[in-house]
Amino acid sequence: MASVSVNVDGLANSEDWEGRYFHVDQILDRPGPRTDPSFLAGDKVKDFLRNKCKILVIGAGGLGCEILANLALTGFKDIHVIDMDTIDISNLNRQFLFRPADVGKPKAIVAAEYVMKRVRGVKVTPYFGKIQDKDVDYYMQFNLVICGLDSVEARRWINATLVNLVDTENPESLKPLIDGGTEGFKGQARVVLPTITSCYECSLDMLNKPTAFPICTIANTPRLPEHCIEWASVLEWPRIHGEKKLDTDDPEHITWLYAAAAARAKEFNIEGVTYSLTHGVVKSIIPAIASTNAIIAASCCNEAFKIATSSAAYLNNYFMLIGTEGIYSYTFEHEKRKDCPVCGGELLEISISHETTVEQLIEMLTERQTIQIKKPSLTTSTKHIYLQGPPQLEQATRPNLEKKVSELVEEGDPVNVTASTLPFTLELVIKYT
Amino acid sequence: MLKILSMKKNEDAAAKKKPKTSAAQIRVQKDLTELDLPPTMKTHFPDATNLLNFTLTITPDEGMYQGGAFNFSFNINSNYPHEPPKVKCLQTIYHPNVDLEGNVCLNILREDWKPVLNLNSVMVGLQYLFLEPNADDPLNKEAAEELRKNREQFLYNVKSSMRGANIKGVHYDKVLEH
């Protein structure tokens, strides 16, 4: 007799139904040849995964749905999810946590409810809004962050936030970031250990250049339907609507662009301008492929599981998948960039007296043999201390030269130093003696 | 979750505190403070605390646009330098590569922009347009055609447009320096 009763719908009504962890426990109950020395096989690691580990999923779209389902089924029980979007009918072919009746509702909330309904004992806490709404304390509460995002901007933001969160005095402040991304048949999964391994910003130059057409071509000699659409959005929209911003999420705006682009296409005998192409071009949409999402999400969750449990070596640090012609994948270590504006740069602690003036500080910097700096410009996040140029700004900040640094900069307030001799940025942390 | 959290802070790179200035801001600070402009170009900051929005005045000292003062607005967003700065001409000028709304046809402002370029390259590129207007990439078709077909007439149109004149039904702003 099984000790767990089974409901008519086939789901166990106890939280951890019999056999739930049978397969996962094969990995967690004993160390293997590739497990980390710190791996605590058995109850300890299971307790961490199932009762203590708090994981944040950013994005509840194509990747996010897969990630949420995978995590819940692997045994993560405290999952948070953020997404600022609502469900569109075109999402339903691959975002399997949503149903036609959900169209228009927030993705994060619907996804969280669905996962909790299907996988007993998992708590999914949704937030319908932007990642930028949340502060440092919010991100501090998680052990791990997984991203399934579609925008470079959001990735850069979360990457910079997690890098800046790192406080060497507090190991808990280092939050591994697992970033998944797909574009048609291509995808990538990577593990970022903020400040330790290469970060998202380090690899920005690997991004494909967005296709931009020369403005004179779109203005004069359009040959492609895309040229007509770009003409409508780049030149015609601002000409007709002035300051009014184009909202690519507003169907009325897209309809207007479509009409303008279609008229222009007719004038130049160009075929192929459609509403969906217009929408696609202005939002730079690349068709999403469900199977690419499934592979990348699986890879991300596999990494999350390995990092959370130390049960196997984690990805170091970049996995790319190219499914355009057959299946090809390549894993390599992307190196940290020394001059990365987020995780690179150098940090210099400097002790000065309360009486030291800005001019004296600049002199101290230029005399330092170790940094070889010439004509440094200094700012904090809120004000300019001294700028070497252009002339107007140099004049505006010149009076600061005679002021005491302590009047302008609070202790511990980072000061950004740039100079032509520095290929990277230097951050000063000032201590007053 | 264990190994990474106890990772030692042995690396210099890990010894990093909290910068709050955005990467775009720092890059713009670097670009601007290292501008190396000829006397024919001057920047103006309406708000000296805001580095992301400013104007550039170009006063060419040779070529057919000599004697004019041309103003461009620069708007830089938080994705700089991965996106180029947005540059517009603030006056209505008679130029084959600038349209009547102030859009500028300069390859490095769009299709050929790369993050290794900087504000200095954009400014030098803009000035070049006044020295060598390019009839092959027209935004103002009338002007481009004139330049191609009848250089004398084009030169005359440039001069009169700079004094503020109507050419083929379009009024151009007076842009003379003095």
Side-chain angles (χ1 to χ4, degrees):
Chain A
M1 264 302 263
S3 60
V4 179
S5 66
V6 173
N7 283 343
V8 273
D9 61 359
L11 293 173
N13 61 9
S14 150
E15 265 194 20
D16 287 337
W17 59 94
E18 191 178 304
R20 173 171 185 180
Y21 296 122
F22 178 79
H23 297 284
V24 172
D25 284 352
Q26 305 302 308
I27 300 166
L28 299 181
D29 275 334
R30 61 191 76 83
R34 312 232 325 136
T35 47
D36 193 87
S38 64
F39 178 59
L40 302 165
D43 292 341
K44 277 248 171 81
V45 65
K46 292 189 213 168
D47 178 56
F48 178 76
L49 180 66
R50 292 165 197 166
N51 302 319
K52 299 205 171 80
C53 188
K54 204 170 184 179
I55 185 162
L56 174 65
V57 179
I58 302 180
L63 278 170
C65 281
E66 301 270 359
I67 291 172
L68 286 167
N70 290 348
L71 292 179
L73 294 168
T74 325
F76 286 90
K77 289 204 170 154
D78 191 353
I79 305 171
H80 288 236
V81 59
I82 305 187
D83 198 298
M84 60 184 279
D85 269 347
T86 52
I87 297 160
D88 186 82
I89 191 156
S90 66
N91 302 146
L92 301 181
N93 72 330
R94 62 192 186 283
Q95 299 178 22
F96 53 81
L97 302 177
F98 312 138
R99 295 292 172 267
D102 299 323
V103 169
K105 294 184 194 161
K107 288 185 178 180
I109 294 170
V110 176
E113 282 169 0
Y114 197 98
V115 171
M116 285 195 285
K117 198 175 85 194
R118 283 295 292 266
V119 190
R120 304 284 164 87
V122 172
K123 194 173 95 201
V124 185
T125 313
Y127 173 69
F128 170 42
K130 295 183 163 196
I131 50 174
Q132 290 90 344
D133 297 345
K134 297 293 189 183
D135 61 8
V136 169
D137 291 341
Y138 174 82
Y139 291 104
M140 229 14 219
Q141 64 178 310
F142 300 104
N143 298 103
L144 267 171
V145 179
I146 300 197
C147 286
L149 285 162
D150 59 359
S151 99
V152 173
E153 206 177 328
R155 281 198 180 84
R156 289 178 75 190
W157 189 89
I158 189 67
N159 176 65
T161 303
L162 294 182
V163 171
N164 293 341
L165 207 59
V166 176
D167 174 356
T168 46
E169 304 300 314
N170 175 15
E172 295 285 328
S173 66
L174 196 149
K175 314 289 179 193
L177 168 67
I178 300 162
D179 178 49
T182 65
E183 209 175 73
F185 286 102
K186 293 187 267 187
Q188 118 259 319
R190 60 193 294 192
V191 171
V192 174
L193 305 179
T195 73
I196 295 175
T197 66
S198 120
C199 78
Y200 184 70
E201 194 83 16
C202 291
S203 62
L204 266 189
D205 55 0
M206 289 174 68
L207 286 177
N208 284 334
K209 218 166 71 147
T211 38
F213 303 108
I215 202 160
C216 8
T217 305
I218 63 174
N220 294 307
T221 50
R223 297 178 306 277
L224 300 171
E226 287 84 355
H227 291 156
C228 302
I229 296 164
E230 284 268 294
W231 171 82
S233 63
V234 177
L235 296 172
E236 200 61 2
W237 178 275
R239 195 176 71 83
I240 302 290
H241 295 93
E243 291 297 298
K244 193 167 125 192
K245 266 212 132 177
L246 177 66
D247 177 2
T248 53
D249 288 321
D250 185 337
E252 270 182 40
H253 289 193
I254 302 291
T255 305
W256 188 93
L257 291 179
Y258 167 53
R264 185 164 173 86
K266 206 174 161 202
E267 189 188 328
F268 286 89
N269 288 318
I270 296 167
E271 283 179 20
V273 174
T274 59
Y275 180 89
S276 71
L277 184 71
T278 309
H279 192 227
V281 168
V282 295
K283 290 199 75 175
S284 10
I285 295 177
I286 291 163
I289 309 290
S291 50
T292 315
N293 283 341
I295 297 169
I296 295 300
S299 169
C300 289
C301 294
N302 195 20
E303 293 313 316
F305 178 80
K306 290 190 288 181
I307 290 173
T309 60
S310 309
S311 56
Y314 52 83
L315 173 66
N316 183 28
N317 51 30
Y318 202 118
F319 162 80
M320 61 160 76
L321 169 77
I322 299 169
T324 41
E325 289 156 63
I327 295 274
Y328 173 77
S329 82
Y330 183 61
T331 300
F332 64 98
E333 181 179 350
H334 188 276
E335 280 184 29
K336 245 174 110 74
R337 251 180 65 185
K338 229 189 143 181
D339 59 347
C340 171
V342 169
C343 75
E346 306 230 336
L347 185 92
L348 182 68
E349 279 188 30
I350 193 162
S351 294
I352 56 174
S353 101
H354 272 102
E355 303 302 313
T356 310
T357 64
V358 171
E359 192 162 22
Q360 287 167 327
L361 173 65
I362 289 177
E363 212 167 291
M364 286 168 70
L365 289 174
T366 45
E367 280 169 5
R368 286 231 170 185
Q369 282 298 318
T370 47
I371 48 175
Q372 303 269 337
I373 202 170
K374 274 185 201 139
K375 295 183 104 186
S377 294
L378 279 61
T379 58
T380 66
S381 59
T382 52
K383 53 178 162 298
H384 300 156
I385 301 172
Y386 182 66
L387 297 177
Q388 301 276 355
Q392 184 198 351
L393 300 181
E394 193 278 332
Q395 263 168 36
T397 53
R398 198 184 298 159
N400 284 347
L401 285 177
E402 289 171 15
K403 289 189 190 157
K404 293 173 191 159
V405 179
S406 54
E407 289 172 34
L408 299 165
V409 185
E410 278 180 47
E411 190 163 85
D413 223 2
V415 176
N416 303 302
V417 181
T418 59
S420 52
T421 46
L422 284 178
F424 46 84
T425 58
L426 174 72
E427 197 177 302
L428 280 188
V429 176
I430 294 178
K431 289 219 164 85
Y432 297 109
T433 50
Chain B
M1 205 60 229
L2 309 154
K3 190 188 163 201
I4 313 155
L5 294 185
S6 59
M7 239 179 213
K8 280 291 173 207
K9 42 183 170 179
N10 50 1
E11 292 172 63
D12 273 347
K16 184 126 164 65
K17 280 270 170 173
K18 306 168 164 57
K20 289 170 212 122
T21 316
S22 74
Q25 283 271 356
I26 295 179
R27 171 63 193 264
V28 171
Q29 173 183 331
K30 188 166 166 59
D31 276 16
L32 283 174
T33 51
E34 290 163 28
L35 280 181
D36 185 14
L37 296 179
T40 48
M41 286 195 271
K42 282 202 169 63
T43 51
H44 174 72
F45 293 80
D47 171 3
T49 62
N50 179 355
L51 297 182
L52 302 180
N53 296 292
F54 59 90
T55 61
L56 172 76
T57 302
I58 303 181
T59 50
D61 59 357
E62 56 179 314
M64 48 190 113
Y65 288 92
Q66 187 179 2
F70 304 93
N71 299 325
F72 291 87
S73 63
F74 277 66
N75 290 295
I76 300 166
N77 70 22
S78 58
N79 244 346
Y80 184 79
H82 296 281
E83 276 177 32
K86 289 205 166 42
V87 176
K88 282 208 151 192
C89 182
L90 295 170
Q91 301 133 320
T92 308
I93 63 168
Y94 183 78
H95 191 293
N97 313 112
V98 181
D99 74 8
L100 303 178
E101 275 75 46
N103 295 304
V104 183
C105 188
L106 180 64
N107 61 339
I108 55 169
L109 281 177
R110 269 180 80 80
E111 70 275 13
D112 289 332
W113 170 259
K114 298 181 199 76
V116 293
L117 296 171
N118 57 27
L119 293 174
N120 209 76
S121 2
V122 170
M123 293 176 184
V124 171
L126 284 175
Q127 171 161 274
Y128 183 71
L129 286 182
F130 289 100
L131 303 177
E132 292 285 341
N134 178 358
D136 297 332
D137 293 333
L139 264 189
N140 183 335
K141 257 197 270 183
E142 305 268 340
E145 221 170 282
E146 206 69 78
L147 172 60
R148 241 196 322 258
K149 288 190 182 145
N150 188 346
R151 201 176 161 89
E152 285 308 307
Q153 181 64 40
F154 177 77
L155 286 176
Y156 176 80
N157 286 353
V158 167
K159 290 294 170 216
S160 52
S161 74
M162 282 165 54
R163 285 194 298 270
N166 286 305
I167 297 166
K168 295 205 173 149
V170 180
H171 179 76
Y172 291 95
D173 290 335
K174 183 176 175 221
V175 294
L176 292 183
E177 206 178 343
H178 299 293

